[in-house]
Amino acid sequence: MAEIYLETGKKKVFAGSLEWPGWGRFGKSEEEAVEALAAYGARYAPIATAAGYKFPAAPRLSVAERVPGSATTEFGAPDGHPEADRAPVTAAVAARHTKLLLAAWEAFDAYAATAPEELRKGPRGGGRDRDKMIGHVADSEEAYARKIGIKKPPNVREAVIEVLGRPSDGGPLTDNGWTARYAARRFVWHVLDHLWEMEDRSDMEGGE
């Protein structure tokens, strides 16, 4: 059984795992979001394996919470904060979060090193090419880092791992900031979302 939460906006629904940070997908309805999440389990599994964890082959998804979405949800990024995010983070959970984030970064960097510079455009001609996507991920992580109390460190990723690798009481990591559980989910989701986009759009003959 894998517990998930649903974040519902006016036009989009995000389904996200509470146990596996970054395993989350959108749909136009709850059913579509859950179906998309289940389908992407096969793409998430290698990340879990690289982090040293066994990902279930066919997890049964159980909706533990429903939360309202926001303008960020409609834009295509998860912004919901289920009550589960406020649970204390033990040393073991913190280690799990950082291992999964490190595995996501490693997979993204490895694929970006071999991906074509020009990526296939979307159905309306949109989408960043490789280098702009890499820059977008880096810029976003600098902004995310401020949400967990990090300001202009010499190495953003090292600073993020240091913060998220510490146990916490489940509260925001800085004033008006994010909890550790939400931060882990948002960081890993963003890296994987762009990794999978880059993979799909690297196929110049059509992709998925």
Side-chain angles (χ1 to χ4, degrees):
M1 185 71 71
E3 289 193 341
I4 67 172
Y5 81 97
L6 298 177
E7 171 183 338
T8 305
K10 293 181 179 179
K11 296 181 179 180
K12 292 183 179 180
V13 178
F14 178 79
S17 171
L18 294 173
E19 180 183 5
W20 298 98
W23 183 31
R25 300 313 294 167
F26 282 93
K28 294 181 180 180
S29 66
E30 288 190 358
E31 293 75 13
E32 285 189 9
V34 172
E35 287 177 3
L37 179 67
Y40 268 70
R43 299 184 83 166
Y44 188 91
I47 304 300
T49 299
Y53 299 103
K54 184 178 180 180
F55 188 79
R60 292 184 296 128
L61 305 181
S62 173
V63 179
E65 291 189 54
R66 287 178 169 83
V67 297
S70 66
T72 302
T73 312
E74 303 300 338
F75 183 72
D79 194 41
H81 298 268
E83 283 300 315
D85 282 356
R86 294 187 174 274
V89 174
T90 64
V93 171
R96 178 185 180 87
H97 288 171
T98 54
K99 287 177 181 178
L100 288 165
L101 179 53
L102 286 167
W105 277 333
E106 183 177 355
F108 179 86
D109 292 347
Y111 193 84
T114 61
E117 182 177 351
E118 182 178 348
L119 301 176
R120 178 173 53 84
K121 301 303 181 185
R124 297 182 181 179
R128 300 177 181 88
D129 285 328
R130 182 198 63 197
D131 291 349
K132 287 188 176 181
M133 191 182 297
I134 294 171
H136 165 70
V137 169
D139 290 344
S140 296
E141 287 174 353
E142 288 188 9
Y144 293 173
R146 292 193 288 273
K147 291 291 189 177
I148 57 175
I150 299 171
K151 298 180 180 179
K152 297 182 179 180
N155 187 304
V156 173
R157 289 184 173 181
E158 286 184 1
V160 168
I161 291 300
E162 181 180 355
V163 171
L164 294 186
R166 298 195 293 257
S168 74
D169 62 6
L173 297 176
T174 188
D175 291 341
N176 298 314
W178 292 346
T179 66
R181 291 179 184 271
Y182 175 81
R185 184 167 65 250
R186 184 67 177 267
F187 269 99
V188 181
W189 171 81
H190 193 248
V191 175
L192 294 183
D193 190 56
H194 286 295
L195 166 63
W196 296 333
E197 178 191 0
M198 191 181 299
E199 289 175 345
D200 293 346
R201 293 176 53 224
S202 291
D203 180 354
M204 305 307 291
E205 294 183 357
E208 291 187 346

